[in-house]
Amino acid sequence: MQVRRAQLDELELPLVEPFETSFGVEKRRRLLLLTLRGQSGEEGVGECVAARDPLYSSESVATARWMLQEYLLPPLLRDRVATPADFVDRTRALKGHSMAKAAAEMALWDLYAREHGRSLSAMLGGRRRRVEVGVSVGIQPSVDALVRRVGSYLEDGYHRVKLKVRPGWDLEPVRAVRRAYPDLRLWVDANQAYPPSAAGSIARWASRFEVEQVEQPFAEHAIEAHRQLNRGGRFRVCLDESIVDRASLDDALERSALSSLNVKPGRVGGLTVSRDLAGAAKSSRVPAWVGGMLETGVGRAHGVALASIDSFSFPADLSASRRYYLSEIIDRPFELGPASTLEVPRGPGIGVELVERAVARARRRRRTFRSSDY
Ligand code: OSB
Ligand code: MG
């Protein structure tokens, strides 16, 4: 593949409602969209999941834009890459900046699949036509509001719910949701909000209210604390932020620090590594599932294609488009189908197209890079 032109758009899209986690509230998603045009004239698009501020991880829209324009796009416009995996190999020496790398890697995957006239799912080796999904529910103004919110998602058809928790928003909301919905498949995610000393109390409420898994309760580097919590066995311990590459996964698996793995392509540098991580987890009998970062339809389409691979076995954090945004930037917004699933697009590449007018409306800035400039 030879990239001839790269277009980097910064968008701002209002969320249908604010999304609150232990690290902050997001009302409008700021994001980068990268469009790569190949020699063939085909285009591939990738979404960067870095948020406006570096709260989930050290990356932000500004660091990702800088990394792309200084280090990732120039070689891509100068030299050919054989495959998306080849791009991963060539950029391995550059430390960190996984979200910036992932945006380029995923745009390359879309381009690669389109140049082969095949769907991204098929190119990745995915076999499912539909993928099972759940919904991630932010911290709400009150426990009553949370129970109503969960109720409306169950009415929509979601079979699995993940509650965002933090110290002071855990036992009561989890108890109330469990009382209202005794059979619900219930997960929680703390985004590193607890000190290791909270392990005893987390284990008590998680067991008592039959929480199936607790995601990333402790700090990114607190593998030992996660290992300790994972010894109880009444619920799974899921890692998200702690797993940034194959080495960190192998170490955590070796130490039995996890019993579920959230795989976000943005966090680990793209789809090539995501597929490898899910395979490694499966070999250790740890279920993997595709996580989300409030993506638009572009990142959602990449996530759905990834989730169509057999190595993923738990429901993804990839909900219907309208759970996130009033207006989508793709032509065929994702809708929830039977049995809490999203359909895997079957057209070339990610199988959905950008709606140029919607992108233009959301665009805050654009920069174009051409191979002739390098
Ligand atoms: O930790 O999984 C997370 C959103 C933003 C940042 C971190 C996380 C999340 C989610 C949302 O839980 C999942 C989704 O996109 O539906
Ligand atoms: Mg998480």
Side-chain angles (χ1 to χ4, degrees):
M1 283 184 283
Q2 175 64 63
V3 176
R4 290 290 179 211
R5 193 186 78 174
Q7 217 152 43
L8 192 55
D9 288 331
E10 183 172 333
L11 309 189
E12 185 178 271
L13 278 175
L15 288 161
V16 289
E17 59 185 55
F19 188 73
E20 182 166 357
T21 64
S22 61
F23 59 80
V25 191
E26 213 162 338
K27 295 185 176 133
R28 287 173 294 275
R29 190 85 169 107
R30 276 268 172 174
L31 63 113
L32 295 173
L33 216 55
L34 177 66
T35 309
L36 301 177
R37 178 181 293 171
Q39 223 164 6
S40 56
E42 294 279 4
E43 290 189 337
V45 59
E47 174 170 349
C48 182
V49 299
R52 196 189 54 191
D53 303 315
L55 299 171
Y56 165 82
S57 75
S58 63
E59 290 184 83
S60 68
V61 168
T63 69
R65 190 197 308 111
W66 174 83
M67 190 66 192
L68 282 159
Q69 70 191 29
E70 298 299 321
Y71 286 102
L72 301 172
L73 297 180
L76 206 48
L77 288 156
R78 237 183 348 246
D79 311 321
R80 296 181 66 83
V81 289
T83 59
D86 184 24
F87 171 78
V88 175
D89 289 339
R90 287 166 188 244
T91 53
R92 202 184 309 277
L94 303 167
K95 302 282 190 261
H97 299 283
S98 298
M99 293 175 175
K101 290 174 180 170
E105 195 254 14
M106 294 198 281
L108 282 171
W109 266 111
D110 184 25
L111 177 61
Y112 184 59
R114 285 176 195 267
E115 288 186 344
H116 285 78
R118 296 178 69 199
S119 72
L120 176 58
S121 165
M123 287 304 270
L124 289 167
R127 298 196 300 182
R128 299 185 177 121
R129 289 170 156 230
R130 317 194 66 94
V131 299
E132 202 188 340
V133 303
V135 62
S136 175
V137 188
I139 292 166
Q140 301 292 313
S142 69
V143 171
D144 281 351
L146 174 69
V147 172
R148 283 197 301 272
R149 203 63 275 24
V150 170
S152 77
Y153 286 136
L154 297 182
E155 266 171 46
D156 290 343
Y158 293 104
H159 284 181
R160 178 285 272 164
V161 166
K162 172 172 122 179
L163 305 182
K164 289 293 188 178
V165 294
R166 68 167 172 228
W169 180 264
D170 46 22
L171 186 142
E172 292 305 329
V174 170
R175 185 211 314 266
V177 169
R178 176 51 78 214
R179 277 216 180 125
Y181 311 107
D183 300 325
L184 175 63
R185 187 168 185 186
L186 184 59
W187 297 0
V188 298
D189 182 3
N191 291 107
Q192 318 183 53
Y194 293 90
S197 59
S201 93
I202 294 171
R204 274 191 300 279
W205 55 254
S207 308
R208 180 165 165 213
F209 302 117
E210 292 174 80
V211 172
E212 183 184 13
Q213 68 175 33
V214 177
E215 181 174 337
Q216 199 73 44
F218 310 123
E220 178 177 338
H221 296 291
I223 299 302
E224 178 58 22
H226 288 104
R227 186 185 74 81
Q228 293 277 353
L229 189 66
N230 197 33
R231 282 159 43 125
R234 299 273 309 269
F235 51 87
R236 292 177 188 273
V237 171
C238 175
L239 292 181
D240 174 352
E241 291 94 317
S242 292
I243 307 302
V244 295
D245 54 16
R246 179 63 192 265
S248 51
L249 177 61
D250 285 346
D251 175 57
L253 286 171
E254 175 76 26
R255 295 162 69 181
S256 300
L258 73 165
S259 36
S260 174
L261 174 65
N262 174 330
V263 179
K264 291 176 181 167
R267 194 188 69 231
V268 304
L271 299 170
T272 312
V273 175
S274 293
R275 185 173 56 177
D276 178 55
L277 297 189
K282 188 174 189 209
S283 302
S284 296
R285 287 186 294 280
V286 167
W289 52 285
V290 176
M293 295 285 286
L294 312 176
E295 287 91 342
T296 70
V298 171
R300 194 161 310 285
H302 281 94
V304 166
L306 179 64
S308 74
I309 299 174
D310 290 340
S311 313
F312 292 93
S313 57
F314 269 20
D317 262 353
L318 298 165
S319 312
S321 291
R322 68 158 204 243
R323 174 254 171 276
Y324 306 91
Y325 301 103
L326 289 176
S327 59
E328 253 291 13
I329 58 168
I330 54 165
D331 59 349
R332 269 168 301 139
F334 286 91
E335 286 175 14
L336 193 67
S340 200
T341 59
L342 296 186
E343 198 176 324
V344 181
R346 302 217 267 158
I350 58 174
V352 296
E353 308 299 327
L354 285 172
V355 176
E356 280 309 328
R357 271 192 311 145
V359 174
R361 223 178 297 131
R363 184 160 48 226
R364 293 293 172 271
R365 54 211 278 192
R366 157 170 284 184
R367 199 169 153 194
T368 304
F369 308 79
R370 289 191 169 76
S371 53
S372 51
D373 299 337
Y374 293 91

